[in-house]
Amino acid sequence: MESQPLLRIHNTLSGQKEEFAPVQPGRASIYTCGPTVYRNAHIGNLRSYLAADWLRRTLTAFGYTVSHVKNITDVGHMRQEMLERGQDKVLAAALAEGKTPQEIAEFYTKAFHDDERKLNIEPAHEFPKATENVEQMVEFVRSLESKGYAYEVEGNVYFDVNKFEGYGKLSGQLAKGLEEGARVEADPLKRDQRDFTLWKAAEPGRELKWKSPWGDGFPGWHIECSAMVLRYLGDEIDFHTGGVDNIFPHHEDEIAQSEGVLGKRHVRTWLHGQHLLVDGLKMAKSTRNTYLVSDLERRGFDPLAFRYLCATAHYRTRLNFTLRSIKAAQKGLSRLRLALRSGNGRLTKKAQREGEALRTEFWNAAADDLDIPSALAIAWRTARSRWPLEVKRDLLLDFDRLLGLDLLKTDAVPDVSSEIRTILSDRDTLRRKRSYVDADAARSTICDKGYEVRDGSKGSRALPLPAWVSDDSISSSGDVESFLEEPERVDLTVSVVAQQGCAELERCISSVRRWLGDTKSEIIVVDNGFDDDCVSFVDEVAANDTRVTVFHADHFLGSAAARNVSLRQARGRNILVIDTSVEVKGDIFSTLDAALADKTVGIVGRWGVVTNDLRSFDEADASGDVDAVEGYLMAFRREMLREVGLLDEKYRFYRHLDLDFSFAIRNRGYRSVIDVDLPVQRHDHVDWVSTPEEERERLSKRNFYRFLHKWGERKDLIASRQ
Ligand code: AMP
Ligand code: ZN
């Protein structure tokens, strides 16, 4: 690069963009908090590593010699909060899988490297393992102890937070620190609950342990990074990176440790990447919204489409991942690559000059706190330009050093069948004859067969559409049209959401169909993206029964969102929501219809609950008014949705969702009633049975508080009080 722009990077410590001034002229050092290898890295973790990669590529492009170190948190180590409780995730995973901790760590380390390679993340120059640096950690703790920053109690060593003056300067979260300390069960051995563990004594029978001056034990997580930064990059480094959740306590504690030992600043710039959300929520196993690179590949995406998606948002802003957004990214990437295969225009001085102006703009964007979205936009301007191919390619090749999108890669184009080729050439003839209507008809025939038609100067081509484009599955409830304002077409809409378990689904749908009789009705089935393959069953039912419509979600949408798909599409005067655990044993439909003819009734079902305090709910055992109708079976007039709205999609797990809906209806002044004589049978609720207990509790609790927050003060809505 001729004249280098000023490189400015945001420093979490100062809260400002700062001009980069390297510790050593011409060199730059980066330490990245690496993976904990007892599980796969999810795409959120990878977004953080991409931010570090963009930093590194920028520094390299600006001529710095970069040393990049990324640690591997392996056997014997654990998250601090787990450690405080004496639990070890690597160990636990090993036990659960019947493997040795080393085997587990090795397996996931390899998987991690594979993922990084697929995303074109340049490998760090060193990947030090925690287990290979325990001696350095012990030395580090000894040093802290001798300087008065640490104290030992019964073989445990703690960092004395009150001794370090600058504690809290990175996160500014002193108060939160106190809270965090209190949240973990109070440790009676600590002088201050904010003190954190540097070394933990091994409990009897523990296999993974190391010798130390304080007896056998193992190191804490924060000390791991402090010791390795020092060993591999020296006593002052340029950048330390991680995700925002690393700021507190991990990096705050690292500063305390490192500056405690060194007596001076250790890290110049702290760079933190904002989180990746999935479907608008924090990624968590229990929310069923974590994705791995392999999940993307399985769906036919190029892993670099994820890199492209990350390039569309600045690293300090949140990015929402949805299947829709990755589809768009995949399209964007393919189109960008394609645009680089064509160029027109002659090589003129003007084109060259304009090209160079864009080059400058591109690198200016990179230099401005890694503004990759702007850089990507400039790559697009280049691709769309009318410059000759050689100018475009020269620029894009240069840009790809930063973007890392393999822009000059030619996407593989599989063979097109002879049948398609014939239709295509017929279509070309039609076009030449200006029979555009017929030509368009030919195009749709080709598209129906799963191809995209591209017209070019040398004739047309048909490109097979990847699975993700041609499939018509839905990614959110908004993907289906809302018929709420449309007139009714039938008397009843039955809404079924396929949960886990095809047998249950089959039993439920068959029983509904058997007893519907000649009720003017429709059945809307939403396949909520579960892995078990009920797809063929519901498709078959839909093919043989015109009353049945099926929607396939391309992933688990959440309980409320899936239900909303059917509610948006419903065209019945009344709507019956039924859970797949319920089997219909007689004509329930006319009874429900009659109940809803009473306009004081807002919602009717078979099972209901009553409450005194809106916190605990008891199952009601007699017909009549209840506080809420349970979601196993509930019916209401469709027009009710116009009053209370659809279900609250924040409820991804089903619990309390039904109560929330009933209360919304009661809030409009209607009654909730049940009829215990309805001929229905409730079987095991698969969703409940198949959710592990610990997870159930977490999910239930979350929904419980969501409900409480909304309705907790509304005792006036309790039926028995009216
Ligand atoms: P871990 O393996 O949990 O130590 O996480 C590895 C890195 O990923 C850390 O730098 C975290 O801050 C980061 N990280 C965790 N979750 C997310 C997320 N949802 N989005 C972006 N980065 C994340
Ligand atoms: Zn770390």
Side-chain angles (χ1 to χ4, degrees), residues 31-34 71 73 79 221-222 224-226 229 240-241 246 250-251 254:
Y31 183 92
T32 297
C33 283
N71 65 297
T73 300
R79 292 314 218 184
W221 172 42
H222 314 316
E224 163 188 333
C225 287
S226 278
V229 182
H240 195 315
T241 80
N246 284 158
H250 187 48
H251 290 161
E254 254 187 78

Side-chain angles (χ1 to χ4, degrees), residues 34-36 39 42 44-45 48-49 79 242-243 245-246 274-276:
T36 313
R39 53 150 157 77
H42 57 55
N45 302 136
S48 283
Y49 302 134
R79 292 314 218 184
D245 60 309
N246 284 158
Q274 253 298 351
H275 269 176
L276 181 79

Side-chain angles (χ1 to χ4, degrees), residues 167 247 627:
Y167 194 75
I247 298 175
D627 290 319

